[in-house]
Amino acid sequence: MPDGTQLYLELLKKILTNVIYQDPTFPDPAAEHGISGYRDDIREIGLDWPTVAHTMVGRKRLDNVHWAVEKVLEDGVPGDFVETGVWRGGVCILIRAILQAHGVTDRTVWLADSFEGMPVTGEESHEADRRLAVHRYNHVLAVSLEAVKENFARYGLLDDQVKFLKGWFKDTLPTAPPGPLAVIRLDGDLYESTTDALVNLYPRLSPGGFAIIDDYAIGACREAVHDYRATFGIKDEIVPIDTFGVYWRRTD
């Protein structure tokens, strides 16, 4: 029988993805993929954009975060946890809950986001980012810092083990978080955003730590990952999570 800790975390994941009340997706971005209303199979793999749920990554990618965080705690991998691109904060709420459930008081969860949506791409932007033009969905993607803090507070998880980095990654990540890091989770969609996160965070990732890429299915993001890995000779196996995200575990 599962213990109380795991029962709590499993229930939390159901609440964060809102499979309880089954809120529908935002119609305009989802319509491009023929998705409307609420569907269990789509919410499971995080392909809709929920109107109410506190995360859009889906159950499988939340399960991956849960496993990775508990694995580094079990193995004694040193470091904090950081997500770049947090939307309503759901993934980091889960990470903070895992730390609380296991009585971990010496690690921090860092949330890096503009809290104003995606950067507007122009002629100076990477070609793949110009094609993607994801800023056209900022009416959905822009969630204020105050709103994310309020979401943490609703779960009773807003405390000094949660730190916020407001601004573009290229400006906030060079100096914070200082490291070491046990898990980095990159959810920036774009080539430039993904590259900024890898360049600044991966060198601080402890051996045995996890690099999780939420948007690997997006060509711009995947290209950035492959370019960075090739530049620095990273050979660790890329493991699929679902149809969208991947991870690898740093071995060197």
Side-chain angles (χ1 to χ4, degrees):
M1 178 178 296
D3 63 18
T5 294
Q6 294 306 319
L7 287 172
Y8 160 63
L9 294 172
E10 290 302 312
L11 178 59
L12 182 63
K13 287 185 285 187
K14 291 179 181 179
I15 296 170
L16 289 168
T17 54
N18 201 23
V19 300
I20 306 296
Y21 294 105
Q22 302 184 346
D23 58 314
T25 183
F26 279 99
D28 42 348
E32 293 184 8
H33 306 286
I35 300 169
S36 62
Y38 172 88
R39 285 172 48 185
D40 276 321
D41 59 331
I42 295 298
R43 190 64 55 92
E44 176 80 5
I45 57 177
L47 290 185
D48 63 349
W49 296 29
T51 50
V52 175
H54 288 153
T55 181
M56 65 170 67
V57 307
R59 178 58 188 264
K60 287 191 175 182
R61 274 173 273 160
L62 276 191
D63 286 343
N64 169 254
V65 171
H66 184 178
W67 169 78
V69 172
E70 290 193 330
K71 185 63 175 171
V72 297
L73 295 178
E74 177 185 345
D75 292 350
V77 178
D80 291 340
F81 306 88
V82 60
E83 184 177 41
T84 58
V86 305
W87 199 45
R88 294 172 178 160
V91 169
C92 290
I93 289 170
L94 173 62
I95 297 173
R96 180 65 192 94
I98 294 169
L99 297 182
Q100 184 184 69
H102 288 283
V104 177
T105 60
D106 59 350
R107 303 199 193 215
T108 298
V109 183
W110 297 82
L111 291 82
D113 201 295
S114 71
F115 299 101
E116 297 176 0
M118 301 296 292
V120 176
T121 52
E123 292 183 359
E124 73 287 352
S125 304
H126 190 278
E127 179 182 357
D129 293 346
R130 294 200 305 271
R131 291 196 303 267
L132 194 59
V134 73
H135 60 270
R136 60 201 161 113
Y137 296 125
N138 275 349
H139 63 291
V140 175
L141 298 175
V143 180
S144 71
L145 175 58
E146 292 71 23
V148 175
K149 286 183 176 181
E150 174 60 26
N151 289 340
F152 269 85
R154 291 181 183 184
Y155 292 89
L157 295 171
L158 183 64
D159 60 15
D160 59 6
Q161 282 182 255
V162 181
K163 305 293 185 185
F164 299 89
L165 300 172
K166 178 176 169 54
W168 304 121
F169 300 155
K170 63 183 177 65
D171 298 323
T172 62
L173 297 182
T175 56
L181 301 171
V183 175
I184 61 173
R185 188 176 191 282
L186 313 187
D187 190 358
D189 295 60
L190 304 175
Y191 182 97
E192 292 179 2
S193 299
T194 302
T195 299
D196 286 339
L198 284 168
V199 165
N200 288 292
L201 298 179
Y202 196 80
R204 305 174 207 168
L205 183 65
S206 298
F210 291 93
I212 303 173
I213 313 297
D214 184 85
D215 302 304
Y216 188 77
I218 297 176
C221 173
R222 185 168 60 253
E223 183 181 350
V225 169
H226 288 188
D227 285 351
Y228 183 84
R229 284 170 56 97
T231 298
F232 293 97
I234 299 170
K235 302 297 184 184
D236 298 323
E237 179 187 4
I238 294 176
V239 182
I241 302 168
D242 53 16
T243 60
F244 219 75
V246 301
Y247 76 91
W248 72 86
R249 191 170 196 183
R250 184 171 189 175
T251 58
D252 62 323

